[in-house]
Amino acid sequence: MAKPKTQYQCTACGALTPKWSGQCPDCGAWNAMETVISAPAAPTTGRFAGYAGAAAPQVRRLGDVGGGEQARTSTGISELDRVLGGGLVQGSVVLIGGDPGIGKSTLLLQTLATLPELHSLYVTGEESPEQVSLRGRRLGLPCDDLRLLTETCVERITAHAERERPQVMVVDSIQTIYSEQLQSAPGSVAQVRESAAVLVRYAKQTGTALFIVGHVTKEGQIAGPRVLEHMVDTVLYFEGDPGGRYRVLRAVKNRFGAVNELGVFAMLETGLKPVTNPSAIFLSRHEAPVSGSVIMVTREGTRPLMVEVQALVAESHAPQPRRITVGLEQNRLTMLLAVLHRHGGLALYDQDVFVNVVGGVRVTETAADLPMLLAALSSFRDRPLPHELVSFGEVGLAGEIRPVPNGEERLREAVKHGFTRAIVPAGNAPRKPIDGMEVMAAKRLSDILEWI
């Protein structure tokens, strides 16, 4: 029988080396090497079996493979269904990450409580049964028939699941699960990867809808190897201030739906409640027009969303003026101020510029360029923009105003909320007039400066 082999594995990237070193030779991380003792693998185990099952693989024509619509089951929570792409898919694996206390366990417990017609199993490795029961009672959920398992060994979890045959299963969390095949501690790179592989294999072979909770690092990324996000079908991130009221659930990967879909929840005493009209909570209607405030129409997934962009331009007494953004990309603001100086003749090199998106939402698309410039101009000149004005558009380095996708849909969403004027790129001007909306189409930055 072969002897166990001692190796050293990097906790950051998972690289294996035969000798210990202070720095990982692959990723360069310091003090990240840990000892891994690999036992000889038995040839009869199914540890490396494929996800499709034990049947022999066959070469098939893609046209002969059925491509019908995936049957979906509603979770009973409208915003979660939206992020998942319409509901649960049989055999899908969903990874949910977020800061501690953001509401991951609460959302999944609510989901299982609203699915009484489906046989479900809640596996927890962090809490006792009494703690889970106390949370369910505090939220007023009908959890009397919910099947609960407190276990951290992945082999025993799958053994219990094969006897219970659940249709929906939750594992909370993957960092507490370990495999008996490995000698490393739970939460290490090897244990997280191996445990996730066993759970994904079980879900694919049995058709179980699986939810996996993942911890996050200080940078906000899911802890463990990056391959964990590649193994699952859907990756969801909880965003927002744990001490605040509103939470945002964002899909960054989805094999069964649209990517970058957004779900908004409000944390109440009875748990997470879906917010069906998130634009209403992100808009702060001022009694009178104020300088430095612009309403923009962004798009998250398939949903148009209206948010308020605020800017404050103040005289700087420091050698290097500050450029600070919250909810937007800081480098983008620096570039836009350079475009404003070059093509607009307005220099802000001696001004501090602060830009914020109200409500804590994060905007990543380039349609925020034009609202950022309008807000900065309004604050610098101390001239309020019209109260009923909305804007969106991308600003190029040559001073041109470039169109963004789904322009007409954004304008119609603005009309629903009572806005009557819009500054948009010329490429997004509607072909037919929109009732109740006056559209100003701009081709270059100079056109906007003349209107303002």
Side-chain angles (χ1 to χ4, degrees), residues 121-142:
L121 177 63
Y122 190 96
V123 181
T124 175
E126 299 179 344
E127 299 176 297
S128 65
E130 291 75 17
Q131 288 177 303
V132 179
S133 176
L134 182 61
R135 180 191 294 117
R137 294 179 181 179
R138 185 176 68 250
L139 300 177
L141 300 175

Side-chain angles (χ1 to χ4, degrees), residues 289 293 384-390 421 452:
S293 176
L385 295 174
H387 196 267
E388 66 281 357
L389 176 69
V390 296
R421 302 177 65 184
I452 298 299

Side-chain angles (χ1 to χ4, degrees), residues 155-415:
E155 286 82 10
R156 290 195 287 268
I157 290 175
T158 54
H160 282 285
E162 289 176 358
R163 291 194 296 268
E164 292 288 335
R165 291 292 180 181
Q167 297 172 284
V168 183
M169 186 168 70
V170 172
V171 177
D172 187 6
S173 66
I174 190 62
Q175 278 75 21
T176 62
I177 307 301
Y178 72 95
S179 173
E180 293 179 340
Q181 301 286 343
L182 304 177
Q183 302 296 325
S184 54
S188 62
V189 173
Q191 287 287 6
V192 171
R193 182 174 58 238
E194 177 66 18
S195 301
V198 174
L199 292 172
V200 172
R201 187 181 306 116
Y202 168 79
K204 297 298 182 182
Q205 293 178 358
T206 61
T208 304
L210 177 63
F211 287 96
I212 299 178
V213 178
H215 295 169
V216 295
T217 60
K218 292 183 295 184
E219 292 78 15
Q221 302 294 327
I222 293 181
R226 193 70 177 181
V227 71
L228 179 62
E229 299 187 22
H230 293 278
M231 297 166 61
V232 300
D233 299 316
T234 305
V235 180
L236 308 180
Y237 274 92
F238 250 125
E239 301 174 359
D241 183 9
R245 182 180 181 186
Y246 296 104
R247 309 284 194 271
V248 175
L249 186 63
R250 186 186 302 270
V252 298
K253 173 188 176 181
N254 194 351
R255 292 173 178 167
F256 304 106
V259 184
N260 287 330
E261 196 67 64
L262 197 71
V264 183
F265 297 87
M267 178 62 80
L268 306 177
E269 295 180 356
T270 57
L272 291 167
K273 179 182 178 181
V275 178
T276 56
N277 186 16
S279 297
I281 66 174
F282 294 135
L283 294 179
S284 56
R285 295 286 188 170
H286 303 281
E287 296 181 357
V290 295
S291 60
S293 176
V294 177
I295 305 300
M296 73 161 292
V297 189
T298 183
R299 185 176 174 86
E300 296 289 347
T302 60
R303 162 187 282 174
L305 189 65
M306 305 194 65
V307 296
E308 180 181 358
V309 178
Q310 293 181 343
L312 176 62
V313 180
E315 183 179 357
S316 176
H317 299 282
Q320 185 70 25
R322 288 179 292 178
R323 306 286 188 258
I324 299 177
T325 61
V326 179
L328 295 164
E329 187 179 355
Q330 183 173 353
N331 293 334
R332 194 103 188 150
L333 174 62
T334 305
M335 182 190 70
L336 292 174
L337 295 179
V339 173
L340 183 63
H341 184 196
R342 175 66 177 83
H343 299 283
L346 188 61
L348 300 180
Y349 57 84
D350 58 346
Q351 304 288 323
D352 290 331
V353 182
F354 308 91
V355 181
N356 175 43
V357 179
V358 177
V361 67
R362 179 168 55 91
V363 180
T364 58
E365 66 168 348
T366 57
D369 292 352
L370 189 53
M372 274 197 289
L373 279 183
L374 290 176
L377 284 171
S378 174
S379 177
F380 181 68
R381 296 298 189 188
D382 196 16
R383 295 179 182 176
L385 295 174
H387 196 267
E388 66 281 357
L389 176 69
V390 296
S391 178
F392 58 85
E394 179 182 354
V395 179
L397 292 180
E400 78 278 12
I401 309 300
R402 304 175 64 87
V404 296
N406 305 100
E408 188 169 349
E409 184 180 354
R410 299 173 193 246
L411 291 174
R412 295 190 183 279
E413 179 70 15
V415 172

